């Protein structure tokens, strides 16, 4: 008999560490994660702080953990995020003032320090009413980083939030993105994961008023021995809100592993909801594995639309045959297929520097391993 799934509405939310026992790996939230590699993340985080530099026109502050703005989105949802909450001593607060429209993105560079200890890292990003801005969190370096990002998008604000994980090969990174959307708020939330031994990003969205619209985009390229995991929860608890999710990943090499779990909860009061989520994975070599789990929980029939799609596969032989029949070499044909696979998503990002970085990273990966992939 299949296990009975609890509603995501019943998930634990708490600032108390004891509310979240150390995972065994059998829990639904952790069943795809190599929890043995995160043992240090389930204890107190006391490593050296990552180096953070912030440039741009937004208001930037380093604040203590007693700042009243912190913790107001909603409480942590799992063991690593509650450990981070109880470990950090200062947070990086980025505020876009009401009515302000920034012409250039705000860039926060996060550089991890090589250490066996786990470092807590906390961001607070607030787009005040009717503001318009792009904020990029760029992660580099090494170490073990347990991060939380609290994101508040006020009424009528437009925010693009990009997080790029371009870690060294030995880095381990967990991140909890907790998002609160105001009336008619618009958020484009983008997760790009290209490096790191293990990267696990959980993103949860809460609507507070009608008319909010979130577009969630994700791209990842997973190499042999690498684990990249994305877990999303969109909690539609108000009428007439919109959510769209598109995540795409390519995997190559033995034991390359990606996980994508997309949970959408439409509560009884969320009439007029319109939501759709899509995940696609392209396996470039043997030995790679992609787990993709879309979930829709609908508690009202009065919705505009709700759907999901998920697909994982290897190269389309018909596409390769068509290109090769036109005189294109097999190597270049495979490159064209991979570029085309990512192209539509990349063009939606809307941040030229991030689009260029992602395309360059894809080209680098193809240069290094396409010779192996050609023998699949």
């Amino acid at each position: 008999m299949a296990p009975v799934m609890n509603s995501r509405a019943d998930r634990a939310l708490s600032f108390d560490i004891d509310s979240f026992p150390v995972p065994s790996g059998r829990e639904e939230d952790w069943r795809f994660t190599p929890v043995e590699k995160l043992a240090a993340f389930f204890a107190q985080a006391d490593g050296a702080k990552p180096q953070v530099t912030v440039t741009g026109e937004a208001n930037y502050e380093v604040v203590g953990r007693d700042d009243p703005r912190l913790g107001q989105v909603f409480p942590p949802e799992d063991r690593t995020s509650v450990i981070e909450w109880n470990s950090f001593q200062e947070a990086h607060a980025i505020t876009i003032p009401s009515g302000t429209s920034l012409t250039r993105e705000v860039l926060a560079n996060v550089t991890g320090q090589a250490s066996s200890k786990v470092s807590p890292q906390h961001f607070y990003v607030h787009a005040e009413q009717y503001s318009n801005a792009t904020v990029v969190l760029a992660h580099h370096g090494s170490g073990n980083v347990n991060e939380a990002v609290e994101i508040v998008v006020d009424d009528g604000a437009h925010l693009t939030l990009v997080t790029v994980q371009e870690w060294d090969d030995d880095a381990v990174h967990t991140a909890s993105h907790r998002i609160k959307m105001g009336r008619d708020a618009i958020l484009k939330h983008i997760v790009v994961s290209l490096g790191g031994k293990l990267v696990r990003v959980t993103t949860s969205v809460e609507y507070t008023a009608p008319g909010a619209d979130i577009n969630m985009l994700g791209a990842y390229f997973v190499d042999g021995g690498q684990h990249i995991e994305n877990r999303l929860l969109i909690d539609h608890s108000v009428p007439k809100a919109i959510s769209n999710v598109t995540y795409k990943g390519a995997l190559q090499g033995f034991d390359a592993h990606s996980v994508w779990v997309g949970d959408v909860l439409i509560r009884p009061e969320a009439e007029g909801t319109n939501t759709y989520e899509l995940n696609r994975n392209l396996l470039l070599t043997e030995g790679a594995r992609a787990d993709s789990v879309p979930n829709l929980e609908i508690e009202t029939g009065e919705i505009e639309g709700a759907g999901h799609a998920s697909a994982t596969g290897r190269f389309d032989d018909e596409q390769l045959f068509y290109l090769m029949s036109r005189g294109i070499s097999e190597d270049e044909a495979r490159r064209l297929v991979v570029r085309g696979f990512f192209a539509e998503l990349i063009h939606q990002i809307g941040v030229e520097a991030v689009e260029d970085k992602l395309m360059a990273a894809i080209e680098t990966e193809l240069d290094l391993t396409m010779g192996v992939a050609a023998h699949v």
Side-chain angles (χ1 to χ4, degrees), residues 162-196:
V162 187
T163 176
V164 181
Q165 286 63 246
E166 202 172 13
W167 296 105
D168 293 345
D169 291 342
D170 62 342
V172 179
H173 178 210
T174 61
S176 170
H177 288 218
R178 304 195 284 274
I179 301 168
K180 180 177 286 187
M181 302 283 289
R183 182 180 297 274
D184 298 325
I186 296 178
L187 173 64
K188 183 183 289 186
H189 182 270
I190 302 163
V191 179
V192 177
S193 296
L194 303 170

Side-chain angles (χ1 to χ4, degrees), residues 48-55 60 91-92 94 106-113 119-125 135-149 162-168 171-175 177:
K49 296 180 296 184
Q51 295 178 356
V52 177
T53 59
V54 177
T55 58
Y60 168 62
H92 301 272
I94 299 170
V106 177
L107 174 62
N109 271 306
V110 180
T111 304
Q113 310 300 307
S119 302
Q121 176 71 58
H122 203 92
F123 278 96
Y124 174 82
V125 180
V135 176
V136 179
L137 309 180
H139 300 85
H140 313 272
S142 185
N144 301 291
V145 178
N146 186 357
E147 181 179 70
V149 185
V162 187
T163 176
V164 181
Q165 286 63 246
E166 202 172 13
W167 296 105
D168 293 345
V172 179
H173 178 210
T174 61
H177 288 218

Side-chain angles (χ1 to χ4, degrees), residues 246-257:
T246 304
Y247 271 61
K248 288 188 176 184
L251 298 86
Q252 60 190 2
F254 180 75
D255 205 25
H257 187 199

Side-chain angles (χ1 to χ4, degrees), residues 16 28 48 80 188 212 270 314 323 350 353:
D16 182 2
E28 178 61 29
T80 53
K188 183 183 289 186
R314 303 199 308 173
L323 292 169

Side-chain angles (χ1 to χ4, degrees), residues 306-346:
H308 59 70
S310 170
T312 298
R314 303 199 308 173
F315 280 108
D316 187 323
D317 291 336
E318 290 186 3
Q319 284 184 318
L320 290 179
F321 176 79
Y322 175 82
L323 292 169
M324 293 171 66
S325 71
R326 298 301 188 269
I328 299 172
S329 69
E330 182 176 359
D331 178 83
E332 184 58 27
R334 289 176 179 271
R335 289 173 181 271
L336 289 172
V337 171
V338 175
R339 292 178 191 138
F341 175 75
F342 281 109
E344 182 181 0
L345 182 144
I346 291 173

